[in-house]
Amino acid sequence: MDHSEHAHEAHGHAHGGASWATAVKATLHCLVGCAIGEILGMVIGTALLWGDVPTMALAIALAFLFGYSFTLFAVIRAGVDLKAAIRIALAADTVSIAVMELVDNAIIALTPGAMESGLTDGLFWYALLGGFAVAFVVTTPVNKWMIGRGKGHAVVHAYH
């Protein structure tokens, strides 16, 4: 068995499958970056008295930026040049971030009063955190499926 086969098995996705533990870890990694960006976007949009649409757009843009940045910095630390690191981060995280953002923003938008509530309102935070929880549950099997096929977060494992 060569090193790449050993590395694949160590990460739980040899022979076309992926472990739930690997999928959970990948999803949590992505969720943390997304959550930081999304919360920062909501805080900035609210502080600037922006409406719902521009605030949500900023929050989504920052969720992608922070979600990608976690992977980007890890891959650069492993010695990959910036251009290649950007390609790896895009391949690793795009589907995961997109699914999470779709789910958690839909929950926030569909929770009555959540978008109108302020940052000091419990409803806002309950909707946001509930959205993250549901996004995690929905995205984990997506990541498991993708990792098992050598896609998504699987492309990063060679650099850990």
Side-chain angles (χ1 to χ4, degrees):
M1 171 185 316
D2 70 18
H3 174 71
S4 64
E5 289 172 0
H6 173 70
H8 260 0
E9 287 182 8
H11 287 292
H13 52 87
H15 310 295
S19 72
W20 281 106
T22 299
V24 165
K25 183 178 175 185
T27 306
L28 283 173
H29 175 265
C30 213
L31 183 65
V32 169
C34 289
I36 290 169
E38 188 151 336
I39 291 168
L40 184 60
M42 293 291 192
V43 168
I44 291 169
T46 300
L48 296 175
L49 303 175
W50 289 358
D52 292 350
V53 173
T55 297
M56 213 169 218
L58 177 63
I60 292 168
L62 290 177
F64 272 90
L65 178 69
F66 278 82
Y68 287 136
S69 71
F70 276 34
T71 298
L72 186 66
F73 294 138
V75 173
I76 288 173
R77 266 195 319 271
V80 176
D81 69 87
L82 181 61
K83 186 176 178 181
I86 290 171
R87 284 195 311 269
I88 292 165
L90 290 172
D93 295 332
T94 299
V95 171
S96 184
I97 295 171
V99 171
M100 277 191 251
E101 286 303 297
L102 178 68
V103 171
D104 84 77
N105 282 291
I107 288 172
I108 293 167
L110 295 173
T111 300
M115 287 301 295
E116 293 75 34
S117 62
L119 295 174
T120 59
D121 238 332
L123 176 61
F124 170 79
W125 292 103
Y126 293 132
L128 183 64
L129 295 175
F132 289 150
V134 173
F136 174 80
V137 169
V138 170
T139 307
T140 299
V142 172
N143 282 332
K144 183 181 185 306
W145 182 83
M146 289 180 59
I147 293 166
R149 282 149 188 78
K151 308 283 185 203
H153 291 273
V155 301
V156 176
H157 287 306
Y159 304 99
H160 285 301

